[in-house]
Amino acid sequence: MTRSTIELPVTADDYRIARYAAAAIALTVAEAALPSPLPGIKPGLANIIVLVVLARYGWRDAAWVSLLRVVAGSLVIGQFLAPGFFLALSGALCSLSVLALAQHLPPRLFGPVSASVLAAFAHIGGQIALARAWLVPHDAVFYLLPLFATAALVFGTINGLVAARLLAIPVATPVPDTALLKAGQ
Amino acid sequence: MKGTVPDGLRELLAQAAGDGHVPWRTLLKPGDWLLLLAAAVSVAASYPLLWRGGVADRAIVKRDGQLVTELALNLPRKYEVTGAIGTTVIEVQPGRARVVSDPGPRQYCVQQGWLTRANAVAICAPNHVTLQLSGRGGPNGYDTLNY
C-alpha cells in the first residue's frame, strides 16, 4: 500500500479533545440503551464530561467535546439529521451559551453544580423552543415543561455533583500528551 | 479492556471507583445551595402555572351560536334558556356545570352529565342551545370534539 502523502498536523489539543469526546460519546451510546418514561427525558450523563472539560480546559474545549458528542453520538446511534439530532443540537448550543456566561460566576460561591443545573435548564429550553417552532407548532408542548424542568433539576444536580466530585480528586498521574503523540504514531 | 474503553472514560471510572472519598456535601458551595433553592421553587411554581389550562372557570351558554350568558363556576345556581322548542335548564356548581333538563327527544346533552374540563361542550341540538366550559386557555384550546 502506498503511504499516504497527506499530512494532517495533529496537536496535543486535538488528542485531548478527542479523548474526552470519545468518553462523552460512549456515555451517549450507553444512555441511548436506557428506557425513558417520556421521550426527551434523559440523565444526560455525557454532560458530566463537558463540565469536567469546562472546568479543566475552558469553554472552547467544552464546546468542541459537546458538539462532537452530538454529531458523532447521533451517527453511532443512527439518529444523524433525524429530529432527535436537531433537538440535541439546539439543546447543546443553548447550554453551551449559558455555560459561557456561567463560567464567569465567582468560583468562591458557585461550583460545578450551579453550572450543571443552569446548563440543564438551558438544554430543555433550547429543545422545547425548537420543538415549538418546528415539530409541534402548538402551545400544548409547554404542558410538558414542568416535567422537563423537574428532570433537568434532578439530573442537573446529580451530574453536577458527579462532576464536582471528579474535579475534587486531583489527577494522580496526568498523561503526558507528548507520550500519547508518540503512541498514536 | 485497555484498548476498548476511551481514555477519558477510563479515567472517570477509575476516579469514581477510587478511594478518594469526598463527602458529597462539601461539593456544594453557598451559591449552589441558593441556586438549587431558586430552581426548585420555580420548578414547583411551574406546575400550577402551566397546568391550570384544564381547569374550567366559566360556563358559556349559547343559543343559535349567539352568546346568551356567561356563568362563573364558583356559586351553585340554575339558569334557564328558552330555545327553539322549549326551555333548557342548566345547573352550575363550583367547578362544574351540566344540562339538567332539555325538551329534545334523545336527551344527549342531559346524559353527558357534569362537565368539568375547560372547553368541554354539551350540545342540545334540537333546542339550538349549547353549554361550553371555558378555562384560562381561552376559547382557542382543544375542545371535547377535537383530537
Side-chain angles (χ1 to χ4, degrees), chain A residues 133-147:
Chain A
W134 176 41
L135 295 172
V136 191
H138 188 274
D139 284 340
V141 268
F142 295 122
Y143 281 107
L144 291 172
L145 202 50
L147 289 177

Side-chain angles (χ1 to χ4, degrees), chain B residues 7-59:
Chain B
D7 279 337
L9 190 59
R10 181 143 29 85
E11 176 202 351
L12 284 182
L13 291 174
Q15 288 181 5
D19 322 313
H21 283 299
V22 185
W24 290 105
R25 228 178 323 139
T26 60
L27 300 174
L28 285 163
K29 297 176 184 176
D32 294 336
W33 283 111
L34 222 64
L35 190 123
L36 281 179
L37 189 71
V41 167
S42 31
V43 166
S46 75
Y47 279 91
L49 275 176
L50 288 162
W51 282 6
R52 280 276 305 257
V55 178
D57 55 11
R58 272 174 308 137

